[in-house]
Amino acid sequence: MRREWSPEDVVACWTPVGSDWDLVANKSGPSRLGFVLMLKFFELEGRFPQFLEEFPPAAVDYVADVVKMPGEDLAKYDLSSRSAKGHRTQIREALGFRPATHADEERLTGWLASEVCPVELVEDRLREALLVQCRNDRACPEGVLSRRGRSGSHGVPQPGVCGRWSVRDAAAEECSYMVKGRGVLGCGLR
């Protein structure tokens, strides 16, 4: 999520519209502010934030004004709370998404290894490709995967160190680790 937003972009991207207000109607206090920010964040990023600091300050100030709450109240919204978990479920359902499954994990790991990693190894671009694919599949990437412990540099054998490993094998293993190990899908939020 970018940090700098022009006033026009903030209004265009962070304003609750139409059915958004139906979802917000029964919420008050910090939950109201946190819910709207999570809704708009998900619409923009295809994922939920892991930390409150991921919300752009300009968006927090703007949304706080729109929902008539002090922006400082966002600090009282706990992204790991039961309420926030319920908010994520409500947002996914309202936008037609479902939680990603272990079958999605396996399919996406194969897709990354065979289609994306042979041509792209930059972590941010891999993450973006994965999020786009999840959005196309209407699968919410958070919360289904656990972190795996790895040794060395991501636990990936380096080409040339072990003759059995080709560059493509290393790329496939790195992509698998990207999906399963570092939390591209598994940020721990359900």
Side-chain angles (χ1 to χ4, degrees):
M1 172 69 61
R2 63 184 165 145
R3 302 299 297 160
E4 300 298 321
W5 290 74
S6 72
E8 297 80 17
D9 286 345
V10 170
V11 171
C13 295
W14 292 89
T15 301
V17 295
S19 62
D20 295 349
W21 288 110
D22 295 335
L23 297 171
V24 176
N26 65 340
K27 294 168 184 62
S28 61
S31 289
R32 185 175 181 91
L33 176 59
F35 182 89
V36 172
L37 286 166
M38 279 209 317
L39 172 65
K40 292 303 179 178
F41 189 98
F42 187 85
E43 287 176 354
L44 293 166
E45 292 285 303
R47 66 178 183 87
F48 293 108
Q50 289 182 287
F51 308 101
L52 294 177
E53 295 78 17
E54 289 187 70
F55 295 121
V60 172
D61 293 342
Y62 173 74
V63 171
D65 189 50
V66 169
V67 299
K68 300 183 182 359
M69 298 286 312
E72 299 80 40
D73 278 6
L74 181 61
K76 299 174 187 171
Y77 186 73
D78 181 1
L79 289 172
S80 63
S81 70
R82 200 169 74 193
S83 293
K85 181 178 179 179
H87 293 166
R88 287 188 292 277
T89 299
Q90 188 179 7
I91 290 166
R92 275 194 304 266
E93 289 173 359
L95 298 178
F97 279 76
R98 61 179 173 72
T101 64
H102 289 289
D104 292 320
E105 170 192 348
E106 295 302 320
R107 184 181 47 74
L108 289 167
T109 299
W111 172 77
L112 278 174
S114 66
E115 302 289 326
V116 182
C117 286
V119 296
E120 182 62 69
L121 286 175
V122 176
E123 182 176 339
D124 289 342
R125 291 183 185 152
L126 289 170
R127 178 172 305 176
E128 184 60 33
L130 182 61
L131 288 172
V132 167
Q133 188 62 40
C134 286
R135 185 175 287 184
N136 290 340
D137 294 348
R138 307 300 284 177
C140 184
E142 281 84 10
V144 297
L145 308 177
S146 60
R147 295 178 182 267
R148 297 188 308 193
R150 301 296 288 253
S151 60
S153 175
H154 314 308
V156 179
Q158 298 300 311
V161 173
C162 175
R164 295 174 297 155
W165 278 79
S166 68
V167 172
R168 184 178 171 97
D169 291 336
E173 180 64 17
E174 174 65 8
C175 281
S176 176
Y177 181 58
M178 281 290 300
V179 175
K180 294 179 181 177
R182 280 201 231 145
V184 174
L185 284 181
C187 75
L189 299 176
R190 291 191 183 176

